[in-house]
Amino acid sequence: MLGVFVVLMVIGALGGVADEDDQKPAASSEKKDDSGPPGDEAATEEEPVEVAETEAAPVDTDGDGVFDPDDFAPEDPKVKTQDDVDSDRDGVADYRDDFPKDPEFSKDTDGDGIADRLDAFPKDPEFSKDTDSDGVADSEDAFPGDPSRSEITLGMENALAAAENYLSFSAFSRLGLIDQLSSEYGDGYDIGDATWAVDQLDADWKEQAFLAGKNYLSFTSFSREGLIEQLSSSYGDKYTLEEATYAVNKIGL
């Protein structure tokens, strides 16, 4: 019996060891894979903290109460908007002043460089002057100094032709030729047409007086003073005294 008991005790002891080993966890034969999928490492790193940008405080350089971005002249405390810029101090801001450096003028509607107050045609850039105020620009007016007319008429053209014809064969003074054209005993042209016609001639009235003096002396005799009187008298040829004297001097009397 003792032998059997010893055997049982040995078997019991062996079983206890086995049970103790069963309770220990088995060592894993697999190594842990630390590589992981791409991005796992980044995911484990700390995310950078975004710092919010703080806006700079608004600046008013010239201290005029308007911040620089909205100030037309940020370094000039007297200028806040473009309406404050008036170079000639005429009360009209430069951007609305056609003559920003001339306090006398500020408006030029037609942009021809002539201020409206001086422009007879402020809305027409082609014209600006109308001396006689007849509504016709001087450059288009045959009589820029005469408001009663502005065009050359047929009567004027005829008077000019007659004047040129007279000078082609005879000597005349300016007044003598006007009288010849307008007199009822002459051609009977309107005095205005006759005057215009004579003034269009490119005549040298001193030389005309010389020719007239020579003509007188070709058929009669004159003293120096007598010939001057004949040439300059209102009852004679109607040359000016200067023209008559020139003629007599040139003749040699």
Side-chain angles (χ1 to χ4, degrees):
M1 287 294 292
L2 181 60
V4 173
F5 179 75
V6 171
V7 172
L8 290 173
M9 288 292 288
V10 172
I11 293 171
L14 292 172
V17 172
D19 290 342
E20 188 175 322
D21 290 339
D22 288 342
Q23 291 176 2
K24 293 180 180 180
S28 174
S29 61
E30 296 180 3
K31 293 183 179 179
K32 184 177 180 180
D33 187 0
D34 292 333
S35 63
D40 279 1
E41 182 178 353
T44 61
E45 294 180 0
E46 291 185 4
E47 295 288 337
V49 178
E50 293 186 4
V51 180
E53 295 183 4
T54 56
E55 294 185 2
V59 177
D60 178 12
T61 301
D62 55 15
D64 61 357
V66 180
F67 295 130
D68 287 5
D70 300 319
D71 197 329
F72 188 74
E75 296 184 359
D76 187 343
K78 294 181 181 179
V79 178
K80 298 179 181 179
T81 70
Q82 59 182 346
D83 288 309
D84 296 324
V85 181
D86 180 11
S87 299
D88 55 14
R89 299 181 181 180
D90 62 355
V92 181
D94 283 6
Y95 77 97
R96 294 190 294 109
D97 194 332
D98 293 318
F99 304 91
K101 294 184 179 180
D102 188 340
E104 290 191 39
F105 310 110
S106 62
K107 196 71 175 174
D108 178 15
T109 302
D110 56 17
D112 60 358
I114 307 297
D116 284 3
R117 286 198 288 119
L118 301 180
D119 195 332
F121 306 91
K123 295 183 179 180
D124 188 340
E126 284 192 55
F127 309 112
S128 61
K129 195 171 183 179
D130 180 15
T131 302
D132 56 15
S133 301
D134 62 355
V136 180
D138 284 5
S139 59
E140 300 288 311
D141 196 334
F143 307 94
D146 184 351
S148 67
R149 53 186 177 175
S150 60
E151 296 181 352
I152 297 174
T153 64
L154 180 59
M156 294 161 66
E157 291 177 346
N158 288 339
L160 176 57
E164 291 172 336
N165 182 55
Y166 278 123
L167 286 185
S168 69
F169 64 82
S170 183
F172 278 90
S173 67
R174 178 180 179 277
L175 291 180
L177 187 52
I178 290 174
D179 187 58
Q180 176 63 35
L181 292 170
S182 61
S183 169
E184 60 178 318
Y185 301 105
D187 293 68
Y189 286 103
D190 175 82
I191 184 66
D193 293 348
T195 302
W196 175 84
V198 171
D199 287 342
Q200 305 313 299
L201 301 172
D202 186 23
D204 184 336
W205 302 116
K206 287 183 177 181
E207 287 300 314
Q208 289 293 311
F210 169 67
L211 293 175
K214 280 183 63 177
N215 183 56
Y216 279 123
L217 291 178
S218 69
F219 62 84
T220 190
S221 299
F222 277 93
S223 67
R224 172 182 172 83
E225 293 301 321
L227 186 54
I228 290 176
E229 176 68 18
Q230 175 63 36
L231 292 172
S232 62
S233 170
S234 59
Y235 298 102
D237 292 67
K238 300 182 179 179
Y239 287 99
T240 66
L241 182 60
E242 180 185 359
E243 292 162 354
T245 303
Y246 167 87
V248 173
N249 287 339
K250 187 172 182 178
I251 290 171
L253 277 180

